[in-house]
Amino acid sequence: MLQTNSTDDWVGRDNMPPDFRPGPVISLAEVLAVLAFMRRHLPIMLVTCVAGLGIAVLFLIAVVPTFTAKAELIVNSKMTLADAAAVSTVVESQIAIIKSESIANAVIEKLGLAQDPEFATGQGSGMISRLLGWSKPKTEANAARYAVEPFERKLSAKRVGPTYLVEITFDSRNPERAAQILNAVAEKYITHQLDKTSLQDEKWVADRLNELNTQALAAETALKDYDRNKTKDTADAADTRDKLAAAAESSKTAYDSFRHVVRKAEATQQQSSPVFDASLVTGASSPLRASWPKPRIVLGIAIVGSLLLGLAAGMLRDLSERFRTIGQKAGPSAEDGRIERPLPDGIRPDHQFDASARTKPVRLPSSG
């Protein structure tokens, strides 16, 4: 007959799988101890909670609210992109253009943000650096440059999922101002969606084409006027007409050649780099509620923090009382202001009694 031995079990308590090991058990005594601790220190916790709520309410009253305006742009590429990585690169590059300093300068100049107190007021570190001589003083000439830093800090842009959508936001103390600035950012980006070099050369190309076209028209008009008004068919007249005809032909050839070069350059650019077509999907509107501070979050943090502070104060109080009790038990006992000290064995009362008992003679009663 087989017998089982507890020491030969196929699995022991320490070798049990983690899923089958018994978890920590909270006894009733521990629960009662926690409840007693909270009941004993309830006044301290209430005081800290009321103080924390008061500080939170004062913070909500004193802080200046911030409003966040939102808008959405779609950035399409006319070229076929092979994979998701290429699409992500394209969208991230456009986000960098939206947040670039050139867009910020254009919006600041258009809306006059350099004179706006929200952007013109220097930060603490900037004031300290200017006092120490680490930066130049703020003047009207460089006021726009000082406004760029807070402008870029308030502007943010991010991609919406794996799409061509870009969400841009702007923070401001004034909700109408936030929406106005964000719409201006979207407008400047859509207007200047080409690269910086193309934007700089576009005006020069148009001006040059107009100049060559004007010269060609003037030369052709001069030739027609001469043919209409000529009276004699002399050698000098023929020579003059040949010169006018050559000037008109040269001007027309120069205009046609430059126009051909421009068209060829545009075709080459379209083949070498993607062309973007950006449009505004959702315009910015004035936000109805402040994005910061949020009263629920502030009050919740104040309540939790004050309760934890009250618990910490209660624990420190219990520890101080425990140390005080231990110190009283370990100290010397005193009664009536006197300190009891052990007596030598020669003069202790019990030893005196033993000595007298040994030296006292014993008398026997007489028989008669």
Side-chain angles (χ1 to χ4, degrees):
M1 187 173 180
L2 296 176
Q3 294 181 354
T4 58
N5 191 357
S6 60
T7 60
D8 296 333
D9 293 339
W10 68 276
V11 63
R13 182 179 180 87
D14 296 337
N15 297 326
M16 293 178 64
D19 296 339
F20 297 96
R21 291 179 183 176
V25 179
I26 300 177
S27 62
L28 180 61
E30 294 177 349
V31 175
L32 294 177
V34 172
L35 292 177
F37 173 82
M38 297 182 67
R39 184 173 62 251
R40 186 167 59 254
H41 299 291
L42 184 61
I44 297 177
M45 297 173 63
L46 289 177
V47 170
T48 56
C49 187
V50 171
L53 286 176
I55 295 174
V57 171
L58 291 177
F59 172 78
L60 292 175
I61 295 174
V63 71
V64 179
T66 300
F67 297 88
T68 302
K70 296 182 181 180
E72 285 187 353
L73 289 167
I74 185 169
V75 181
N76 290 328
S77 176
K78 295 182 180 180
M79 293 188 64
T80 303
L81 301 177
D83 52 3
V87 175
S88 178
T89 303
V90 168
V91 177
E92 292 297 331
S93 64
Q94 297 306 301
I95 290 176
I97 294 175
I98 293 173
K99 299 172 63 178
S100 64
E101 187 175 350
S102 60
I103 299 294
N105 286 326
V107 175
I108 291 172
E109 182 180 358
K110 178 182 178 181
L111 301 180
L113 299 181
Q115 288 74 32
D116 194 327
E118 185 175 356
F119 299 91
T121 303
Q123 302 297 325
S125 58
M127 295 175 63
I128 295 175
S129 62
R130 286 194 292 272
L131 290 175
L132 296 177
W134 296 345
S135 63
K136 296 181 180 179
K138 189 173 182 180
T139 59
E140 294 182 0
N142 58 10
R145 297 182 60 186
Y146 278 102
V148 170
E149 182 180 354
F151 184 92
E152 293 179 345
R153 188 171 58 251
K154 295 173 181 293
L155 177 66
S156 62
K158 64 178 181 179
R159 185 184 180 188
V160 182
T163 63
Y164 286 97
L165 288 175
V166 176
E167 181 185 81
I168 55 177
T169 59
F170 194 86
D171 300 331
S172 179
R173 301 174 185 175
N174 190 338
E176 290 79 11
R177 193 66 162 172
Q180 181 187 16
I181 293 173
L182 196 58
N183 287 326
V185 170
E187 178 186 354
K188 288 297 180 182
Y189 166 70
I190 293 174
T191 305
H192 304 83
Q193 56 184 323
L194 300 177
D195 54 41
K196 187 176 180 181
T197 305
S198 298
L199 291 175
Q200 289 179 348
D201 295 344
E202 183 179 1
K203 186 176 182 301
W204 179 84
V205 170
D207 293 341
R208 183 59 179 167
L209 282 173
N210 293 331
E211 181 182 356
L212 293 176
N213 188 24
T214 303
Q215 292 177 1
L217 291 176
E220 186 177 358
T221 303
L223 179 60
K224 290 180 179 180
D225 292 342
Y226 181 81
D227 289 339
R228 188 183 304 114
N229 299 326
K230 71 177 182 177
T231 57
K232 296 180 181 181
D233 191 5
T234 61
D236 294 338
D239 186 49
T240 303
R241 187 186 183 286
D242 291 340
K243 290 181 180 179
L244 292 175
E249 185 66 22
S250 176
S251 300
K252 186 176 183 302
T253 303
Y255 173 75
D256 292 339
S257 299
F258 188 78
R259 188 176 180 182
H260 177 71
V261 170
V262 170
R263 289 180 177 179
K264 187 176 180 180
E266 290 178 352
T268 304
Q269 184 180 4
Q270 290 178 359
Q271 294 177 0
S272 61
S273 61
V275 178
F276 299 102
D277 183 17
S279 59
L280 186 63
V281 178
T282 305
S285 57
S286 301
L288 301 178
R289 297 180 181 86
S291 58
W292 179 258
K294 296 183 178 179
R296 293 183 180 179
I297 296 178
V298 174
L299 294 177
I301 293 175
I303 292 174
V304 174
S306 59
L307 288 178
L308 293 177
L309 183 61
L311 290 175
M315 293 176 65
L316 291 176
R317 183 178 179 183
D318 286 351
L319 288 175
S320 62
E321 291 179 355
R322 185 176 301 177
F323 286 137
R324 190 182 302 110
T325 303
I326 294 174
Q328 290 178 356
K329 290 182 179 180
S333 60
E335 184 178 357
D336 298 334
R338 295 177 297 176
I339 299 177
E340 295 183 357
R341 296 180 180 177
L343 298 175
D345 294 341
I347 58 175
R348 286 175 57 184
D350 52 352
H351 284 272
Q352 291 179 357
F353 178 78
D354 294 340
S356 60
R358 288 195 300 268
T359 57
K360 186 176 181 180
V362 179
R363 295 181 181 181
L364 298 175
S366 58
S367 55

